Amino acid sequence: MHYRVTIREQVTIPAPAKLNLGLEVLGRRPDGYHEILTILQTIDLCDHLELEPASQLIYQTSVPDDLVARALRALELHNVTLRARIRLEKRIPLSSGLGGGSSDAGTLLGALWHAGLPEERVRSIAETLGSDVPFFLLGGTALARGRGTEIEPLPSVDGWFVVVVPEVSLPSKTPRLYAALTPSDYSDGSATLHQAERLRAHLGFDPSLVRNAFLRPLLTFEPVRQVVEHFRSAGIAWVWPSGAGPAIFTWSPSRAEAETIATALRTRGLHPYLTHPFTPDWESIATAIDVTVGAP
Ligand code: C5P
């Protein structure tokens, strides 16, 4: 079946960054990927996708051939015709472990799904774009399994996050960091499953259950080690990478405490983001988008 997507009125869609509140790698899979268990959380550090009515598809971005451009091509191939001017404004640091590129594509697909595009079509496109993309179809808090694409939504985590992105250039970062893992970095996923159980039971986030297999290989990069040292010298022992890094963050249940931590890091010359959980308002986004069945 063919679908036609038009924009009723101009809408700005926030595409949120994510943090991995624990990421355990269980081992290598026969398909070359790794089996993971992770808890994902979208936060209020967002790129902006601006959609406007137009007679044909026009996409403007500062990042050549990004995941949104690939999502738009995939939609065309899956018989979805978009008539819209789309502009992407980047704010999430690139290739930082905060999922910016995946969120841009996943949030756009999420908006189209909430506006009426069938879930299977949206989900299969999201999976082909990358392991992190399906999570962003809904965002919020979720447990992800498999290569990261099997998503189970969870009740939201509370509190505040202070995030710092070390200045380190890591070409082909994700495959490179996965390749740097050794069996000693693998774990059985039980800490992450326990965290998910707590959240399901509304017992709240337990920071002591966070693990991340990438911490060891990431600490071999001097800029990452220095950022972790700055957190520790500011009295913050609880520091973890998000995803395969290099973003490093801490969590606090209190906004005031998180602000104090951010200030302490600023005096050490770092540029922290003070963020908290955030989920796009899908219902209001969907009202600006019209999905109809029919030839282009
Ligand atoms: O799925 P995505 O394109 O983001 O993955 C990029 C690369 O990261 C993969 O080609 C693979 O090398 C590695 N990866 C992995 N296991 C995962 C996710 C990614 O080994 N669960």
Side-chain angles (χ1 to χ4, degrees):
M1 204 178 290
H2 209 113
Y3 289 86
R4 200 171 26 198
V5 178
T6 52
I7 309 303
R8 287 202 183 102
E9 58 192 84
Q10 193 205 329
V11 58
T12 300
I13 305 173
K18 58 86 175 159
L19 291 173
N20 297 80
L21 309 179
L23 194 170
E24 291 188 78
V25 177
L26 281 62
R28 277 180 72 93
R29 296 158 39 125
D31 63 4
Y33 285 88
H34 289 75
E35 189 71 14
I36 66 168
L37 270 168
T38 181
I39 292 183
L40 292 151
Q41 174 67 57
T42 43
I43 55 173
D44 69 341
L45 166 62
C46 299
D47 288 341
H48 285 168
L49 281 159
E50 210 177 275
L51 273 59
E52 281 176 51
S55 57
Q56 57 176 336
L57 178 61
I58 304 158
Y59 176 49
Q60 293 169 295
T61 173
S62 57
V63 188
D65 199 32
D66 63 7
L67 277 181
V68 172
R70 287 169 52 195
L72 293 171
R73 285 203 296 273
L75 283 163
E76 193 72 52
L77 287 173
H78 284 76
N79 294 325
V80 179
T81 304
L82 249 91
R83 293 197 185 135
R85 176 190 288 273
I86 303 175
R87 211 171 59 82
L88 174 63
E89 190 191 317
K90 291 295 296 178
R91 295 173 179 204
I92 305 168
L94 298 179
S95 202
S96 57
L98 299 174
S102 300
S103 177
D104 301 336
T107 304
L108 177 64
L109 291 168
L112 301 183
W113 169 34
H114 286 86
L117 218 55
E119 178 174 356
E120 322 81 70
R121 206 170 297 199
V122 163
R123 204 164 280 285
S124 79
I125 294 173
E127 279 179 20
T128 59
L129 293 174
S131 304
D132 273 351
V133 179
F135 162 66
F136 289 101
L137 297 175
L138 258 184
T141 312
L143 173 68
R145 301 168 187 264
R147 68 174 172 103
T149 56
E150 295 162 33
I151 306 296
E152 178 199 332
L154 294 169
S156 185
V157 167
D158 291 327
W160 294 79
F161 302 100
V162 183
V163 185
V164 173
V165 182
E167 283 179 31
V168 53
S169 161
L170 296 169
S172 308
K173 185 208 63 184
T174 306
R176 182 169 167 187
L177 265 297
Y178 269 105
L181 295 175
T182 66
S184 66
D185 300 311
Y186 299 161
S187 53
D188 66 2
S190 57
T192 304
L193 288 174
H194 189 176
Q195 184 81 273
E197 259 168 48
R198 281 187 62 90
L199 294 173
R200 258 182 235 117
H202 297 274
L203 292 173
F205 174 64
D206 180 350
S208 76
L209 291 172
V210 169
R211 314 276 183 274
N212 187 317
F214 296 102
L215 182 63
R216 185 202 55 80
L218 279 168
L219 287 175
T220 64
F221 298 99
E222 188 55 24
V224 179
R225 210 188 52 74
Q226 279 174 12
V227 167
V228 170
E229 275 311 307
H230 279 305
F231 272 87
R232 298 218 162 119
S233 74
I236 316 304
W238 194 95
V239 271
W240 287 102
S242 178
I248 298 290
F249 72 100
T250 192
W251 171 85
S252 170
S254 122
R255 179 183 188 149
E257 188 184 56
E259 278 172 354
T260 306
I261 294 168
T263 305
L265 294 173
R266 260 182 229 112
T267 62
R268 286 165 171 79
L270 301 182
H271 302 285
Y273 297 93
L274 180 63
T275 71
H276 67 106
F278 166 83
T279 308
D281 179 353
W282 296 114
E283 277 184 24
S284 95
I285 292 166
T287 59
I289 303 171
D290 201 27
V291 175
T292 50
V293 175

